């Protein structure tokens, strides 16, 4: 829900949805969502203790690394991501994250992360049809 709200530019609603979801969804997902909607510091605060736990899984560490990248802390992002990736995978991941980290609205970040291109607002045919003098 929060990512959809962020994708529609409703960042305040997205933050409220994530606060309401605290405890209902896993920390890795909650942290990732917080990072994607622009709350990198909150994501880091949430993910760091879980990612440093002895039973931490790669997904949690990668989400933390992405949060660091989105916060502009590239050295930490590289160090954490490198725990689970080979050198060539790490370079590719950092390059992908660099495109996510450029200044942009949350809607652009969310759509880039999930790999979709937002539709261009198109008034379309309804206006043309309504003003048409031709019978249908």
């Amino acid at each position: 829900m929060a990512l959809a709200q962020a994708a529609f530019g409703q960042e305040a609603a997205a933050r409220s949805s994530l606060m309401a979801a605290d405890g209902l969804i896993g920390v890795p997902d909650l942290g990732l969502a917080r990072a994607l909607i622009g709350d990198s510091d909150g994501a880091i605060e949430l993910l760091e203790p879980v990612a440093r736990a002895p039973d931490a899984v790669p997904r949690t560490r990668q989400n933390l690394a992405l949060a660091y990248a989105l916060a502009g802390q590239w050295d930490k992002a590289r160090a954490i991501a490198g725990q689970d990736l080979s050198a060539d995978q790490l370079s590719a991941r950092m390059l992908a994250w660099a495109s996510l980290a450029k200044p942009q609205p949350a809607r652009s970040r969310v759509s880039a992360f999930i790999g979709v291109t937002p539709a261009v607002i198109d008034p379309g045919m309804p206006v043309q049809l309504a003003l048409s003098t031709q019978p249908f």
Side-chain angles (χ1 to χ4, degrees), residues 46-125:
L46 183 66
L47 289 167
E48 197 162 67
V50 178
R52 295 188 186 280
D55 60 344
V57 296
R59 182 171 142 224
T60 305
R61 286 189 294 271
Q62 293 304 304
N63 289 355
L64 174 60
L66 175 57
Y68 274 122
L70 294 176
Q73 298 181 41
W74 291 98
D75 290 340
K76 288 182 178 181
R78 179 175 285 282
I80 292 169
Q83 294 177 35
D84 303 303
L85 303 173
S86 65
D88 59 325
Q89 291 173 318
L90 179 60
S91 293
R93 179 74 47 94
M94 299 304 285
L95 186 60
W97 287 349
S99 68
L100 285 177
K102 64 184 178 189
Q104 59 187 324
R107 71 174 57 192
S108 299
R109 184 176 297 120
V110 170
S111 61
F113 182 78
I114 61 175
V116 298
T117 303
V120 177
I121 302 300
D122 178 11
M125 293 291 292

Side-chain angles (χ1 to χ4, degrees), residues 1-2 5-6 10-18:
M1 170 71 103
Q5 290 168 324
Q10 302 167 355
E11 294 180 33
R15 289 177 192 270
S16 294
S17 292
L18 287 179

